[in-house]
Amino acid sequence: MEVGPRVRDSNRRWRPFEAAPVMTTVRVVAAVVASLLACGPAAVAGPPTAEEEAAVLFEHAKALMDASRYAEACPTFERSETLDPQVGTMLNLAFCDENLGKTATAWTVWVEAAAKADERGQTSRAEFARSRASLLEPRLLRITVLVAPQRDLDQLDVRVDGVSLARSRWGTPIPIDPGSHWLQASAAGRRPYWRSFEVDEQSVPPVTVPSLDDPPGPAQKADGDRDGSPRAW
């Protein structure tokens, strides 16, 4: 079930909110090429700009979201945002992430969208994004990563899902999406550590990095892990 309306950037056309036909990525590209060819040689003199590619991806993502294909729509919005950062794209991405149940990711995008809207003087959008973030915040799940005493603590690299966790955030509750996650820790001359953990509304487990004082060797395994290598998920 959708969490709210969708928003477009003012520099991109609005369309009625009825469901739009969904094309595969190949068909999207083919349609763009066909439209350029129809415009004559001048139109195909060079490759499309980043802004043009972003606009095509944005429209495709909207069609996917209209069809409730959120798992495909969200990364398409992300690619559009990377090519041509726009507040409207971020707002749509936040809605998409909410519909996927990625509450922490959606909340982060709402907060970032509000900041970007402020920078661009888009007051109403900034207020809207902040209001959505405020509504979502009570639903956030949070973990606290605790770090056991270490030698040469400044050399310790702690990562959650492959993203480095700043030392200032150790011991501090941080928002996290429901689902499966990985904790990794490493330091020069130490044996690395990793463990998987699950987070849901009924269970937010303690997450602790043990001392890595062991000499280099095969990676430590957390209790319950049967093999010595991370699993892909």
Side-chain angles (χ1 to χ4, degrees):
M1 185 174 183
E2 295 178 3
V3 297
R6 287 73 171 272
V7 185
R8 289 178 184 267
D9 259 294
S10 57
N11 63 341
R12 291 172 183 160
R13 294 183 193 173
W14 284 81
R15 207 172 51 226
F17 286 128
E18 72 271 9
V22 178
M23 295 191 290
T24 64
T25 302
V26 172
R27 289 176 62 195
V28 169
V29 173
V32 172
V33 172
S35 65
L36 290 174
L37 289 173
C39 294
V44 292
T49 65
E51 291 79 5
E52 290 169 339
E53 290 186 46
V56 171
L57 289 168
F58 179 84
E59 293 299 325
H60 185 41
K62 283 293 298 176
L64 290 167
M65 192 158 67
D66 287 341
S68 299
R69 291 167 59 175
Y70 304 109
E72 299 168 77
C74 292
T76 306
F77 278 128
E78 289 176 356
R79 291 197 295 273
S80 177
E81 170 66 13
T82 298
L83 287 168
D84 182 24
Q86 296 289 342
V87 175
T89 307
M90 296 182 72
L91 298 180
N92 278 278
L93 174 59
F95 274 125
C96 192
D97 286 329
E98 278 200 55
N99 278 292
L100 276 181
K102 297 170 66 175
T103 50
T105 299
W107 178 79
T108 299
V109 177
W110 285 127
V111 172
E112 293 175 350
K116 183 176 288 187
D118 280 331
E119 291 174 0
R120 299 187 177 187
Q122 300 176 10
T123 305
S124 61
R125 283 182 167 184
E127 292 175 351
F128 175 74
R130 274 191 288 271
S131 69
R132 294 298 307 185
S134 296
L135 287 172
L136 189 57
E137 189 166 9
R139 296 169 47 199
L140 295 178
L141 303 176
R142 300 176 188 268
I143 62 166
T144 301
V145 177
L146 302 175
V147 178
Q150 311 278 336
R151 286 188 289 111
D152 300 324
L153 194 64
D154 58 332
Q155 296 184 18
L156 184 66
D157 180 32
V158 177
R159 294 175 179 266
V160 176
D161 299 332
V163 179
S164 185
L165 188 65
R167 185 172 176 179
S168 61
R169 305 188 73 186
W170 300 355
T172 302
I174 56 175
I176 195 166
D177 291 329
S180 301
H181 299 276
W182 273 100
L183 171 72
Q184 299 167 293
S186 61
R190 309 292 174 79
R191 187 158 56 179
Y193 170 86
W194 59 71
R195 60 161 292 191
S196 61
F197 60 96
E198 296 281 336
V199 174
D200 58 39
E201 293 182 358
Q202 285 73 44
S203 175
V204 180
V207 181
T208 302
V209 176
S211 174
L212 302 184
D213 289 342
D214 294 333
Q220 293 174 260
K221 292 183 292 182
D223 292 341
D225 287 342
R226 290 191 295 270
D227 57 38
S229 60
R231 295 181 293 274
W233 44 267

